[in-house]
Structures are given as structure tokens and as C-alpha cells.
Amino acid sequence: MSKLIITRMEISGISCSVCILTEDQKIMELQLEPENRKSILDNIYVGQVENVAANIQAAFVRIAPDVRGYLSLEEGKTAIFSAGRTADNHPLKPGDELLVQVSRDAMKGKLPALSGNLNFTGKYLVLTTGDKKFGLSKKLSVEDRKRLSGWFEDEIQKPDKEYGLIVRTNAAEAEKEELERELKHLREMYQKVAVNGRSRTCCSLLYQPEPEYIRRIRDTYSQKLEEIITDIPEYHQQIYAYLEGSSPQELSKVRMYTDKLLPLYKLYRIESAIDEIWHEKVWLNSGGFLVIQQTEAFVSIDVNTGKFTGKKKVQETYRKINLEAAQEIARQLRLRNLSGIILIDFINMENPDHIDELFHVLKKHLKKDSVRCRAVDITPLNILEMTRKKVRRPVIEDLMDLQKAEKSL
């Protein structure tokens, strides 16, 4: 079972809202947001194409007076245009105005990524404007997929679909009436943005999602969520109001923490988790350790025997360290929010069965991640290749920005 802890604390002298997800009393995920800087992830704007770079198949789009984003030409094909332009087969050109959504935070000096496929996300469903297909979460059981597909038969059979629909994992525990109510709400949001947005001026902000901690509640698989705890009264009020409207059955999980002598961030040792993120070396219980390094092209993770002094034969020693490392690597990817191409250098093992076991154990732990992961292969050199979808920038970049801001004060 897991817990969501939502609090406020100072990091490098700057007040931040912090949300952590714990599993078995270990911090698995950490998200922080300075209270003076809000993320633009998932915001929808009326953007204006400034220039088109055909060589990289991308357009650069202005979404605010001093903010630009990167839109792949493929993503622009399904966009909703404004200012009299209609969606057609004509290529994008400078001056075009269209509705775009921020699909990935700016990271490492790169511009935020934009999409013309607008997504309106609820607890159970996602409504999409570009991809007009019906889809179901792969984490749903065969029985749930069959039942939910039957409930949405009318949506599936519509001849001229206005939007697409994705059924999320949380839908498995929802009643049909709850899904219908949420679909109606998402449709109303879509109409408000897509229809009204066509007549709005360039750089208008058309849609802004809930605060980060509310989105975290929405996106957490509630069947495994034991408690939602906060010590901030206004957060508690907003969380309660959100759940009262969307998931009243979850209200019993909300708890207001009131012990002034031991702040929530101290009780759950959030400072220790932040300190862990700063360090490249991570020790394992067996005495082995990981070295995690972010390069420009990929994330490198090296598994080492360290202080391990196993009494069994060497290959069994390597097997034990690698299996422990696989579990901790899956946690570190979530905790640090590392993404893109990830190369893991496990300790060499001679037994093919041990290599297969390692690959499947890592995949099992990666399935717990809410961000899409894919373990590709283990090469003959025992390098495991995997990917993790880029959505938000790594937590270390947020921490470094806070540190720079503190020095400039």
C-alpha cells in the first residue's frame, strides 16, 4: 500500500510545495514546485508559428511573449487552428495560429515540447482531440477491458468521431455512472477550449490544469492508495473539495496532520530523500552500490560489488547484487525522475538463466511506475537498454535551479 504526502517546506531558502509517494515506508517519488514558479506542463495556449525548420521537421511556436516551444510537424497535422485558418493538408507556415498543449517541460536548456493533440485528463478517462481512437490502459485485466469496452460501445461505434477516448487504469473500480459523469465533464472542457479558443488572440492561456498535488492524487492508482496526508490547511481544503466532486468514496483517505512539534517533512525524512538525489552513489543493503550519471545523450547506471562479502560462489554473489540493484534502480528512476535512454551496466553473469531472471525482475519493478518504461534488451556485455518517457525534467534540475536562485538573493 502507498501514501501520498503533500506538504510545504523550504529548499535552498525558497518555499516549495512538495509531494511524495511512499510504498512500504520508502519514498518512491518526489515532486517539488517553488511557490513563486508554476509549471506550464499541460497548459493549452493559442500559439503562433514563428518559423519552420524543415531539416528537423519542427516548428517553433510562441505561446507567451517570452516563451517559445518546439512542435514537431507530425504533431501539428491534427492541430486546431484559429484566426480563420482551417485544418487542411497545407504545411505549417510562419504566422499560423493554432491551439497547442505543453506536453513536456523544458529541460537541460531545451524548449518545452508542444503538441497539437490536446489531452483533457480525468481520473478515469482521457479525451484527446487529435488521435480519435478508443483505447484502454494495458494495465487493465482482460475482464475489465471487456466490461469497459461494452460500457463505451456507443462511443466506439460513432461514425464521425469528434474526439478520441482513453480509459485509464483507475476506471476498473468506477461505476458506469461515474464514467459517464466524467466523460460529460471532459466534453464540456473540450468544447470550451476548442470552440472558444478559435476566436482568442495569440498567446492566450485557454486551459490550466489543477495544482500539481491535485494532479498527483488524480493520477495515482487509488486502489493501492492507503492515505493522503497534508499539514497545510489550504491544501487540505482543496484536496477535500476535489475528491468530494470527483471521488467521494476516497474522502476517508484524507488526513490532516496537526503535530506542530514534528513537521510532516521531518516525519517522512523528505530532506534525506533530497540529499540522496544530490549524490551519484547509492549504497545497496548487500554492500554493493550504484553509480548514477546523467549525460547529454543518456542516463548511465553502473552496478558494483562494493563491500559485498558473500560466502557462496562468485556467480551467486553477482546474481544477488544484480537482483537487489534492479529493484533499487526502478526506485531511483522514479525518485529522481530520470528519463530518455537509460543504459545499466550490471555485473557480468555467466548463467543465461540468471540473466533472463534479472531482465524479468527489472520489468516487474518497472511496471509499478506511472511513467511509461520499456526494458529493451540485455546485450552480450550485460548492458541493459531501456527507455523511460520524458514528461517532466529530472528533480536534480529543479534542485539546481533553487540553489542558483538562493545565490542570487
Side-chain angles (χ1 to χ4, degrees), residues 86-138:
T86 57
D88 50 33
N89 293 323
H90 297 165
L92 285 178
K93 61 183 185 299
D96 279 345
E97 293 185 4
L98 66 163
L99 276 56
V100 290
Q101 186 168 35
V102 180
S103 58
R104 191 184 69 212
D105 268 333
M107 53 182 76
K108 289 188 179 177
K110 294 180 180 177
L111 296 175
L114 307 176
S115 174
N117 179 23
L118 311 182
N119 285 267
F120 300 90
T121 304
K123 185 176 181 64
Y124 308 119
L125 307 168
V126 181
L127 186 150
T128 65
T129 65
D131 187 352
K132 297 179 181 178
K133 297 176 183 177
F134 177 82
L136 294 142
S137 166
K138 292 180 180 177

Side-chain angles (χ1 to χ4, degrees), residues 115-238:
S115 174
N117 179 23
L118 311 182
N119 285 267
F120 300 90
T121 304
K123 185 176 181 64
Y124 308 119
L125 307 168
V126 181
L127 186 150
T128 65
T129 65
D131 187 352
K132 297 179 181 178
K133 297 176 183 177
F134 177 82
L136 294 142
S137 166
K138 292 180 180 177
K139 294 182 180 180
L140 289 165
S141 68
V142 175
E143 293 78 11
D144 286 333
R145 291 167 70 89
K146 185 176 179 181
R147 173 172 53 86
L148 292 164
S149 294
W151 286 358
F152 286 100
E153 187 65 30
D154 290 344
E155 291 290 332
I156 296 170
Q157 297 301 329
K158 278 184 181 177
D160 298 314
K161 291 186 175 66
E162 194 178 352
Y163 50 80
L165 206 60
I166 300 168
V167 181
R168 308 186 73 192
T169 310
N170 270 329
E173 59 196 65
E175 298 295 331
K176 186 178 181 181
E177 292 73 21
E178 291 179 276
L179 300 180
E180 289 173 344
R181 188 165 55 247
E182 183 169 278
L183 178 57
K184 181 183 176 185
H185 172 66
L186 294 177
R187 272 198 299 244
E188 288 170 352
M189 252 196 304
Y190 155 69
Q191 289 290 336
K192 183 179 177 182
V193 172
V195 176
N196 297 346
R198 290 187 175 100
S199 59
R200 297 286 296 277
T201 58
C202 178
C203 298
S204 294
L205 174 60
L206 304 177
Y207 169 79
Q208 191 170 26
E210 303 93 342
E212 181 57 46
Y213 55 89
I214 297 292
R215 278 186 276 175
R216 198 69 190 82
I217 293 168
R218 181 197 70 193
D219 294 340
T220 300
Y221 187 34
S222 56
Q223 206 170 57
K224 295 182 180 178
L225 187 61
E226 182 183 5
E227 276 189 305
I228 302 167
I229 308 170
T230 184
D231 56 352
I232 311 298
E234 59 263 40
Y235 289 1
H236 182 264
Q237 291 171 6
Q238 290 179 353

Side-chain angles (χ1 to χ4, degrees), residues 26-44:
K26 291 186 75 173
I27 296 179
M28 305 299 291
E29 297 178 15
L30 184 153
Q31 292 177 2
L32 58 93
E33 187 172 58
E35 300 211 318
N36 61 356
R37 178 184 65 80
K38 300 299 180 185
S39 170
I40 63 171
L41 185 66
D42 292 332
N43 284 4
I44 298 176

Side-chain angles (χ1 to χ4, degrees), residues 178-372:
E178 291 179 276
L179 300 180
E180 289 173 344
R181 188 165 55 247
E182 183 169 278
L183 178 57
K184 181 183 176 185
H185 172 66
L186 294 177
R187 272 198 299 244
E188 288 170 352
M189 252 196 304
Y190 155 69
Q191 289 290 336
K192 183 179 177 182
V193 172
V195 176
N196 297 346
R198 290 187 175 100
S199 59
R200 297 286 296 277
T201 58
C202 178
C203 298
S204 294
L205 174 60
L206 304 177
Y207 169 79
Q208 191 170 26
E210 303 93 342
E212 181 57 46
Y213 55 89
I214 297 292
R215 278 186 276 175
R216 198 69 190 82
I217 293 168
R218 181 197 70 193
D219 294 340
T220 300
Y221 187 34
S222 56
Q223 206 170 57
K224 295 182 180 178
L225 187 61
E226 182 183 5
E227 276 189 305
I228 302 167
I229 308 170
T230 184
D231 56 352
I232 311 298
E234 59 263 40
Y235 289 1
H236 182 264
Q237 291 171 6
Q238 290 179 353
I239 292 166
Y240 202 90
Y242 168 75
L243 290 176
E244 198 169 34
S246 65
S247 310
Q249 71 276 11
E250 302 290 317
L251 286 171
S252 60
K253 296 180 180 180
V254 182
R255 179 160 68 90
M256 180 68 191
Y257 179 84
T258 56
D259 188 345
K260 302 295 182 185
L261 297 177
L262 183 63
L264 205 51
Y265 73 88
K266 290 281 188 185
L267 178 65
Y268 283 90
R269 305 185 71 229
I270 297 177
E271 290 170 318
S272 296
I274 291 171
D275 185 60
E276 184 179 347
I277 291 168
W278 276 112
H279 290 89
E280 291 184 345
K281 182 180 284 190
V282 178
W283 286 99
L284 304 173
N285 292 333
S286 63
F289 64 88
L290 312 175
V291 177
I292 303 171
Q293 295 177 316
Q294 175 83 61
T295 72
E296 281 298 316
F298 56 85
V299 175
S300 163
I301 303 178
D302 189 30
V303 182
N304 297 272
T305 55
K307 303 172 185 176
F308 188 87
T309 54
K311 296 178 181 179
K312 295 183 179 180
K313 55 185 180 180
V314 172
Q315 285 299 312
E316 185 58 29
T317 297
Y318 294 166
R319 172 181 170 271
K320 182 173 181 179
I321 296 175
N322 279 338
L323 291 177
E324 185 188 356
Q327 181 174 359
E328 185 59 29
I329 286 167
R331 172 180 172 262
Q332 290 293 328
L333 295 178
R334 294 168 68 185
L335 178 67
R336 298 168 185 249
N337 194 30
L338 299 172
S339 55
I341 298 170
I342 300 162
L343 303 180
I344 308 169
D345 185 8
F346 284 105
I347 302 166
N348 288 347
M349 296 187 295
E350 296 173 358
N351 189 330
D353 291 339
H354 290 175
I355 296 172
D356 288 342
E357 178 189 28
L358 174 62
F359 187 70
H360 288 99
V361 165
L362 180 64
K363 286 179 71 174
K364 181 188 77 173
H365 291 298
L366 292 176
K367 283 182 180 177
K368 299 175 184 177
D369 198 334
S370 59
V371 176
R372 188 167 69 243

Side-chain angles (χ1 to χ4, degrees), residues 1-36:
M1 299 298 285
S2 59
K3 296 181 182 182
L4 268 179
I5 314 301
I6 300 163
T7 187
R8 184 185 290 147
M9 61 185 287
E10 281 202 359
I11 303 174
S12 297
I14 296 171
S15 179
C16 299
S17 63
V18 180
C19 180
I20 65 167
L21 179 71
T22 70
E23 293 174 6
D24 300 323
Q25 299 182 328
K26 291 186 75 173
I27 296 179
M28 305 299 291
E29 297 178 15
L30 184 153
Q31 292 177 2
L32 58 93
E33 187 172 58
E35 300 211 318
N36 61 356

